Amino acid sequence: MANSGPAVTDPLLCLRHSIASNHPPVPTTSPDVVASDPEPNLAIATHLQFTEPSRQSFALDIPTRFLSSEKSVDLRSIYFAWQKKDVAIPDYFASAEQLNEQLSAPEGAGGKVQHLVFVERLDLITWLEGASDESEYIKGLDVEATAAQAAGSAQVASGAAGGIATIPSGAAGTRPGKQIDPRLAEIYNGERTMGDRNSVLRGIKPTDFSHIRKSAETFLGRSRNRAGPASTGAANIASNPALVSLPKKPGRRPDPIILLSPSASSLLRMGNIKSFLDAGTYIPPDSSLAGSTSSANILHISRLLPSIDPQRPLRFILVDTPEQFKPDYWARVVAVFTTGQIWQFKGYKWQSPPDLFKNALGIYVGWRGEDIPSTVKGWGRGVVSTQVDKWNSHAGMQGRWRDREVVEGLWGAIEESMRNRGWGKDEGPGVK
């Protein structure tokens, strides 16, 4: 290979780089990067050939840094999950089972594709698309290997190892070789291998400081008891700079979640919610004009909310079921679209509508001119009710200018609700 480094030698980073550069890898049946023929069938292919950031090939059964249930996931499973990123979870599982049967067949390449659950697949796709630079399922690069590689490069640069050997100037039948300047050689010998923050500040192995934290809690608890009134304690802290806590480094802001109603009677479903909230136009969910497929189980919309972050748009996640939610995901739910049917809330953290709409904004969208259901009215100010013009199949998208006004009003309500619940520039609300 022409290059070296994590961006080339790590298959995960290679896949992410090729997706970002719009040069996706090609499955092949040979490790030869020059003479190999493409093989689109993953049950037969044995290697994945990349053209970006350099031309190279990886075996599909090679383990990657992505972990599922504390086990490394092979490159074939990662690439297959990326190929099926737009299909629903049941279809993804069915395709994986079919591929496993083909892999175990006599003409198959062998091995087995590992299923990724909803949260793992979402995290992987988000990282591969470049929407996030961190992933809780991807372990860091090997610090020791990276340091050894850097040390080897330094030795090659200094002439101590590798590279092209110099030829003594007195050798018979050869041209005189160029000798390195002694002062430059002395500078090279004094160089130190650079490391990252983990190797410099924390060392290679993680250190457990939990015992110090427990001792500090005991000491601080005794100090509070002896301090007396709160005003005295505050004065002591202000007078002693060592007791003043350093500002907390802001963490990565989580993506807010919007829940849709899975009801077939809902005007807004996975098939048309993106065209409504993103483009400001209502299109029936079963229409061919809708921008999303009804089989998609997750969608993303980016929206700039100036009162929360005037520079960076927030990335919203849209789903119609909380089946794959982790407990902390509920703190990220900012809006719930409802039709007024209480069965929708079965499986929610808050199954009572009053409790639900104390923690997330409720949204009801109906036809203009029709009455709002009495159940929705009974839920109070926690639910925003609005109406859109009925769809005219003859006029199509012509004359739907009033939809934009409705959408802007809904985004304004969502922004105000998020701001009141503690969403900020660098962080979301705490778990309730």
Side-chain angles (χ1 to χ4, degrees), residues 18 31 54 75 95 136 146 180 188 202 210 226 229 238 245 256 274 295 331 336 365 372 393 416:
S18 64
S54 64
L75 183 58
S95 300
E136 59 180 299
T146 305
I180 190 171
Y188 281 149
R202 300 179 178 86
S210 59
R226 294 196 301 265
S245 60
K274 194 165 186 177
S295 60
V336 177
V365 178
I372 299 174
S393 57
E416 181 181 2

XYZ file of all heavy atoms in Angstrom, residues 18 31 54 75 95 136 146 180 188 202 210 226 229 238 245 256 274 295 331 336 365 372 393 416:
179
model
N -14.694 5.961 2.410
C -15.199 5.700 1.061
C -16.637 6.173 0.912
O -17.032 6.661 -0.150
C -15.104 4.203 0.757
O -15.939 3.449 1.625
N -8.198 -11.246 -3.267
C -7.548 -10.112 -2.596
C -6.763 -9.216 -3.538
O -6.288 -8.163 -3.132
C -6.616 -10.793 -1.588
C -6.316 -12.123 -2.199
C -7.548 -12.536 -2.934
N -7.079 4.737 -0.400
C -6.074 4.160 -1.280
C -6.620 2.825 -1.765
O -7.542 2.262 -1.173
C -4.735 3.983 -0.540
O -4.879 3.054 0.516
N -16.349 -7.740 9.096
C -16.567 -6.713 8.068
C -17.771 -7.045 7.196
O -18.474 -6.141 6.734
C -15.301 -6.586 7.206
C -15.317 -5.502 6.123
C -15.571 -4.133 6.729
C -14.001 -5.501 5.353
N -33.460 -10.772 5.581
C -32.382 -10.784 4.593
C -31.115 -11.407 5.175
O -30.381 -12.121 4.477
C -32.094 -9.357 4.108
O -33.236 -8.771 3.518
N -20.462 4.451 21.009
C -20.232 3.666 22.224
C -19.961 2.196 21.910
O -19.553 1.438 22.786
C -21.443 3.756 23.151
C -22.741 3.259 22.535
C -23.908 3.365 23.498
O -23.829 2.729 24.555
O -24.869 4.094 23.189
N -0.259 1.737 17.399
C -0.064 3.063 16.799
C 1.276 3.658 17.211
O 1.996 4.244 16.401
C -1.206 4.003 17.224
O -2.446 3.403 16.878
C -1.087 5.342 16.536
N 24.782 10.727 5.712
C 23.943 11.677 6.441
C 24.817 12.596 7.279
O 25.869 12.177 7.796
C 22.920 10.932 7.326
C 21.893 11.917 7.880
C 23.606 10.157 8.424
C 20.734 11.229 8.568
N 18.125 13.515 14.964
C 17.205 12.393 14.825
C 17.252 11.483 16.052
O 16.223 10.991 16.526
C 17.552 11.581 13.580
C 17.060 12.190 12.284
C 17.770 12.010 11.093
C 15.900 12.951 12.250
C 17.340 12.576 9.912
C 15.459 13.525 11.072
C 16.172 13.340 9.898
O 15.732 13.885 8.740
N -2.907 9.290 30.554
C -3.482 8.198 31.346
C -2.700 6.903 31.235
O -2.979 5.957 31.941
C -4.927 7.946 30.887
C -5.817 9.159 31.041
C -7.231 8.829 30.541
N -8.115 9.962 30.714
C -8.257 10.951 29.857
N -7.531 10.952 28.764
N -9.101 11.940 30.071
N -11.952 5.145 41.557
C -13.196 5.141 42.335
C -12.933 5.229 43.834
O -13.714 5.836 44.575
C -13.999 3.870 42.023
O -13.228 2.712 42.326
N -19.363 20.616 59.378
C -18.682 21.582 60.244
C -18.805 23.014 59.733
O -18.460 23.954 60.424
C -17.191 21.228 60.346
C -16.918 19.912 61.044
C -15.461 19.820 61.439
N -14.577 19.930 60.296
C -14.087 18.884 59.638
N -14.424 17.650 60.016
N -13.281 19.059 58.608
N -23.785 27.500 58.528
C -24.725 28.047 57.547
C -24.164 27.961 56.141
O -22.960 27.957 55.918
C -24.909 29.507 57.988
C -24.462 29.536 59.415
C -23.411 28.483 59.563
N -15.328 30.565 48.065
C -14.932 31.702 47.223
C -13.546 32.206 47.586
O -12.800 32.690 46.734
C -15.951 32.823 47.359
N -14.607 24.647 41.683
C -14.608 23.608 40.655
C -14.354 24.229 39.288
O -14.782 25.336 38.999
C -15.945 22.869 40.652
O -16.989 23.773 40.383
N -32.559 14.901 19.559
C -33.942 14.810 20.043
C -34.755 13.835 19.207
O -34.468 13.601 18.032
C -34.453 16.249 19.904
C -33.578 16.885 18.888
C -32.240 16.225 18.996
N -41.653 13.451 6.541
C -40.471 14.225 6.169
C -40.829 15.345 5.199
O -40.337 16.473 5.325
C -39.418 13.306 5.561
C -38.043 13.957 5.453
C -36.954 12.941 5.208
C -35.576 13.595 5.253
N -34.485 12.602 5.091
N -42.159 1.833 4.542
C -41.529 0.729 5.253
C -40.361 1.171 6.119
O -39.847 0.393 6.906
C -41.040 -0.315 4.242
O -40.089 0.258 3.359
N -35.813 10.679 27.817
C -35.492 12.074 28.122
C -35.265 12.881 26.849
O -35.317 14.114 26.878
C -34.243 12.146 29.017
N -44.735 14.247 20.524
C -45.469 13.018 20.238
C -46.673 13.394 19.374
O -47.551 14.139 19.823
C -45.935 12.305 21.526
C -46.748 11.066 21.172
C -44.753 11.935 22.403
N -52.835 16.750 14.440
C -53.039 17.356 13.127
C -54.262 16.713 12.489
O -54.305 15.480 12.311
C -51.804 17.177 12.217
C -52.070 17.784 10.841
C -50.578 17.811 12.848
N -62.127 18.844 16.400
C -61.027 18.191 17.119
C -61.627 17.195 18.099
O -62.590 17.504 18.797
C -60.171 19.237 17.848
C -59.551 20.212 16.835
C -59.075 18.567 18.677
C -58.805 21.351 17.471
N -56.835 15.450 -5.100
C -56.021 14.650 -6.026
C -55.897 15.308 -7.390
O -54.916 15.080 -8.112
C -56.625 13.251 -6.176
O -57.972 13.335 -6.629
N -40.042 26.061 21.567
C -40.354 26.635 22.885
C -40.413 25.550 23.946
O -39.912 25.728 25.070
C -41.679 27.384 22.811
C -42.079 28.032 24.131
C -43.419 28.754 24.039
O -44.042 28.715 22.950
O -43.839 29.340 25.058
